[in-house]
């Protein structure tokens, strides 16, 4: 993309101006993305590396297993929950897929899910990690820079859309489990919740980080640095507790066991050691190089677009094609985002979307509030990771599941249907982002927010059931179409559409339930 845009810029703009803008000014390589990377993103990448090395990511997986592992299709639900939790600190949808997927995908296949479905669940959930506060794949810091809003507000406003996204995947997984008659894991195979509660202190770095940033007690850089130190302290506490446990079980001395755990070349899953500190710094450095390179390229993309006026040309084309109708403009912008986001890392992805697509929606002709527009383009840039033909997260999941890549990507797209609907909801009705149509933050009533979230959840349930084709029993083609219509009705802003959609969905659910009950009675 950078190569193509450079050629376009050199053809349309004077050579000297292109070089000056891209490499000697602040509109190219040294633009907003790289500035944000060196100020905020680097330290948070290192923080995430420390969290992984001290066993906090593993704690998330065990916690999800304890909560949902025994329910119908439990391992798939574990994948959804653990990916949401790990995604809070992960900066990569592919990295998240590989990290949690190496555990959850084999478990799903063992339970009875097909390989392409197991890989798709993990890919869809891991991609959602990029929209999950507080870090959101580091894009939260970039969004704060572009919109001029505090980072703490960006993270808060992202909560409801993220919850809806993961709830949509969870519902789809549950319906598939019921359709296939899958059971969960036995209680004996699952971590005990009362044991996990004793390790709740592992969450201290994340909790303290969110508290410091949201209260404004410290700068983001300072907060992340302190959180890294707290992570190391938590790791030392884990070492000490492991040593005490060893003393009780084997009668060894606490001091000796503690020192051995601290300097061990093969440290336990939880805890810290010198080798783990070095490993975390190395991983953080490598991760920083990748993100910094992506941010530099994103700066070049934005610089080429600015120098050539390409953004204004794209804006005029979409406004003309849409005729100023918001829903058409949103659809055309969505197509642009998915195409431009293919194969692009999260941070660079958002930078490109903010430079090219967000101005289209915030234009006077379309009139979407600025923050809603930025969230809209960010969401659709991210789903490029699971949308064929360049679905990197889905391909990573398919490799672990040993399943066909394209089938996995198509399943992931179907599971992540919420990601294709929720952005339209908050673009047309920003109440989900706690703002009114004029873009004023925290100016909507609690009941309005509750109504839009509740109707969206019911609408997602109806659409997920239609795509799955099973609800108590097999759904015929007519009822599947009716369910989609009712679900979309509840997701379109407005009380009338909510009520009509609810009546339609309730009627189909009632018919399906009573028919299934009669069939079961006949079989008995």
């Amino acid at each position: 993309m950078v190569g193509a845009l450079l050629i376009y810029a050199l053809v349309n703009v004077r050579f000297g101006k292109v070089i000056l803008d891209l490499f000697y000014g602040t509109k190219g390589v040294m633009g907003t993305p790289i500035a944000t990377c060196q100020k905020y993103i680097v330290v948070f990448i290192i923080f995430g590396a420390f969290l992984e090395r001290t066993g906090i990511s593993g704690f998330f997986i065990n916690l999800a297993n304890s909560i949902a592992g025994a329910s119908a299709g439990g391992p798939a639900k574990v994948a959804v929950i653990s990916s949401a939790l790990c995604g809070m600190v992960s900066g990569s949808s592919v990295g998240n897929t590989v990290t949690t997927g190496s555990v959850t995908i084999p478990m799903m296949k063992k339970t009875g899910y097909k390989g392409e479905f197991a890989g798709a669940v993990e890919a869809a959930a891991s991609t959602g990690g990029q929209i999950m506060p507080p870090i959101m794949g580091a894009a939260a810091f970039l969004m704060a820079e572009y919109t001029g809003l505090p980072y703490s507000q960006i993270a808060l406003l992202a909560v409801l859309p993220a919850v809806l996204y993961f709830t949509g995947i969870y519902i789809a997984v549950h319906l598939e489990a019921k359709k296939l008659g899958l059971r969960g894991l036995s209680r004996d195979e699952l971590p005990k919740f009362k044991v996990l509660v004793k390790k709740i202190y592992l969450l201290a770095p994340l909790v303290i980080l969110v508290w410091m940033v949201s209260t404004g007690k410290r700068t983001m850089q300072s907060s992340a640095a302190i959180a890294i130190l707290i992570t190391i302290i938590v790791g030392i506490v884990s070492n000490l507790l492991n040593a005490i446990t060893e003393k009780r079980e084997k009668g060894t001395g606490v001091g000796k066991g503690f020192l051995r755990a601290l300097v061990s070349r093969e440290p336990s899953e939880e805890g810290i050691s010198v080798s783990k500190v070095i490993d975390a710094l190395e991983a953080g450095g490598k991760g920083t190089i990748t993100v910094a390179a992506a941010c530099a390229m994103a700066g070049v993309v934005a610089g080429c677009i600015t120098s050539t006026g390409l953004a204004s040309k794209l804006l005029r084309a979409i406004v003309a094609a849409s005729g100023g109708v918001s829903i058409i403009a949103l659809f055309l912008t969505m197509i642009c985002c998915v195409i431009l986001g293919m194969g692009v890392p999260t941070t660079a992805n958002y930078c490109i979307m903010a430079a090219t697509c967000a101005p289209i929606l915030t234009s006077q002709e379309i009139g979407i509030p600025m923050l809603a527009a930025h969230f809209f383009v960010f969401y659709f840039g991210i789903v490029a990771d699971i949308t064929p033909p360049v679905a990197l997260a889905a391909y990573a999941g398919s490799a672990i599941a040993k399943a066909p890549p394209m089938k996995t990507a198509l399943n992931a797209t179907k599971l992540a249907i919420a990601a294709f609907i929720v952005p339209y909801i908050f673009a047309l009705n920003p109440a989900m982002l706690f703002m009114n149509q004029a873009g004023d933050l925290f100016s909507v009533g609690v009941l309005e927010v509750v109504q839009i979230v509740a109707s969206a959840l019911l609408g997602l349930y109806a659409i997920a059931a239609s795509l799955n084709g099973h609800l108590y029993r097999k759904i015929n083609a007519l009822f599947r179409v009716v369910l989609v219509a009712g679900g979309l009705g509840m997701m379109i802003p407005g009380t009338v559409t909510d009520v009509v959609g609810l009546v339609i969905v309730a009627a189909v659910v009632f018919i399906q339930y009573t028919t299934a009950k009669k069939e079961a009675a006949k079989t008995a």
Side-chain angles (χ1 to χ4, degrees):
M1 185 180 294
V2 169
L5 281 171
L6 275 173
I7 293 170
Y8 179 80
L10 290 170
V11 169
N12 290 277
V13 182
R14 186 168 49 84
F15 178 82
K17 185 178 187 316
V18 173
I19 299 301
L20 183 66
D21 286 350
L22 298 186
F23 302 104
Y24 289 90
T26 56
K27 295 180 181 178
V29 173
M30 304 307 293
T32 299
I34 205 74
T36 306
C37 180
Q38 62 91 11
K39 278 199 294 186
Y40 309 127
I41 298 174
V42 170
V43 70
F44 277 88
I45 290 173
I46 296 171
F47 172 59
F50 271 93
L51 286 182
E52 286 185 18
R53 270 60 182 184
T54 49
I56 294 176
S57 296
F59 175 77
F60 284 149
I61 295 174
N62 289 332
L63 183 63
N65 256 314
S66 177
I67 294 170
S71 61
K77 294 174 181 176
V78 169
V80 176
I81 297 171
S82 61
S83 293
L85 294 171
C86 291
M88 290 193 297
V89 295
S90 170
S92 165
S93 52
V94 177
N96 199 356
T97 300
V98 174
T99 302
T100 56
S102 59
V103 177
T104 58
I105 290 174
M107 285 169 55
M108 282 187 267
K109 291 182 70 177
K110 180 182 174 183
T111 306
Y113 287 107
K114 291 181 180 179
E116 56 264 30
F117 187 84
V121 170
E122 185 57 54
S126 295
T127 298
Q130 306 307 289
I131 59 176
M132 189 67 167
I135 295 178
M136 298 166 59
F141 311 116
L142 288 163
M143 198 177 292
E145 199 77 13
Y146 277 110
T147 61
L149 288 173
Y151 158 79
S152 55
Q153 286 189 12
I154 298 289
L156 176 62
L157 301 179
V159 170
L160 286 182
V163 168
L164 284 174
Y165 177 87
F166 281 102
T167 304
I169 299 176
Y170 192 93
I171 290 169
V173 162
H174 177 75
L175 291 172
E176 182 71 12
K178 289 294 186 182
K179 176 182 176 180
L180 300 176
L182 302 181
R183 298 178 179 272
L185 299 173
S186 68
R187 289 286 181 186
D188 296 335
E189 297 179 76
L190 300 174
K192 305 297 180 187
F193 187 74
K194 62 182 180 181
V195 175
L196 291 175
V197 168
K198 296 177 182 177
K199 298 180 180 180
I200 199 72
Y201 63 87
L202 289 169
L203 299 180
L206 198 56
V207 172
I208 292 172
L209 171 67
V210 173
W211 173 75
M212 284 191 294
V213 171
S214 60
T215 56
K217 297 283 184 184
R218 301 266 183 172
T219 63
M220 282 191 282
Q221 303 96 308
S222 176
S223 299
I226 292 170
I228 290 171
L229 292 175
I230 292 169
T231 304
I232 295 172
I233 293 169
V234 166
I236 294 172
V237 170
S238 290
N239 290 344
L240 179 59
L241 293 176
N242 289 337
I244 293 171
T245 302
E246 185 179 341
K247 176 185 176 183
R248 289 176 180 172
E249 293 178 355
K250 299 181 180 179
T252 56
V254 172
K256 183 180 177 182
F258 173 64
L259 290 174
R260 184 167 61 253
L262 186 62
V263 300
S264 171
R265 289 182 180 276
E266 297 180 1
S268 60
E269 184 181 347
E270 293 160 7
I272 198 70
S273 67
V274 173
S275 62
K276 278 193 173 185
V277 170
I278 294 171
D279 188 34
L281 291 171
E282 179 187 355
K286 288 179 178 178
T288 297
I289 291 169
T290 305
V291 173
C295 284
M297 292 302 98
V300 174
V301 169
C304 288
I305 289 167
T306 303
S307 296
T308 60
L310 185 60
S312 60
K313 294 175 185 176
L314 187 62
L315 167 61
R316 287 195 296 271
I318 288 184
V319 169
S322 67
V325 179
S326 296
I327 190 70
I328 299 175
L330 288 168
F331 179 77
L332 294 174
T333 305
M334 175 191 78
I335 300 298
C336 290
C337 290
V338 172
I339 293 171
L340 291 173
M342 288 179 180
V344 183
T346 302
T347 45
N349 192 324
Y350 171 67
C351 293
I352 294 168
M353 300 310 147
T356 56
C357 298
I360 297 170
L361 301 181
T362 56
S363 64
Q364 189 174 359
E365 294 88 344
I366 308 302
I368 303 296
M370 178 186 66
L371 198 57
H374 277 263
F375 269 105
F376 184 91
V377 299
F378 174 53
Y379 266 55
F380 282 113
I382 292 303
V383 298
D385 275 345
I386 54 172
T387 309
V390 189
L392 296 184
Y395 296 161
S398 71
I400 298 171
K402 296 180 175 61
M406 196 55 67
K407 280 188 178 180
T408 305
L410 291 171
N411 271 288
T413 303
K414 187 169 72 171
L415 284 167
I417 190 65
F420 294 89
I421 298 174
V422 169
Y424 283 93
I425 299 174
F426 60 64
L428 297 172
N429 187 353
M432 187 179 287
L433 297 175
F434 307 107
M435 66 173 73
N436 60 18
Q437 289 290 351
D440 301 322
L441 283 175
F442 309 112
S443 56
V444 294
V446 175
L447 288 178
E448 187 178 355
V449 175
V450 170
Q451 178 186 341
I452 194 169
V453 172
S455 63
L457 281 173
L458 291 170
L460 282 174
Y461 177 79
I463 293 170
S466 175
L467 290 174
N468 185 270
H470 188 274
L471 185 66
Y472 301 112
R473 63 188 294 274
K474 186 177 179 180
I475 308 174
N476 63 40
L478 176 61
F479 278 176
R480 290 178 76 167
V481 173
V482 171
L483 274 176
V484 169
L488 290 175
M490 281 190 285
M491 302 187 90
I492 295 170
T495 304
V496 175
T497 54
D498 286 351
V499 172
V500 172
L502 179 61
V503 170
I504 291 172
V505 172
V508 174
V509 171
F510 178 75
I511 292 169
Q512 287 290 111
Y513 176 75
T514 53
T515 307
K517 201 170 181 180
K518 287 176 182 177
E519 289 177 354
K522 287 179 182 178
T523 305

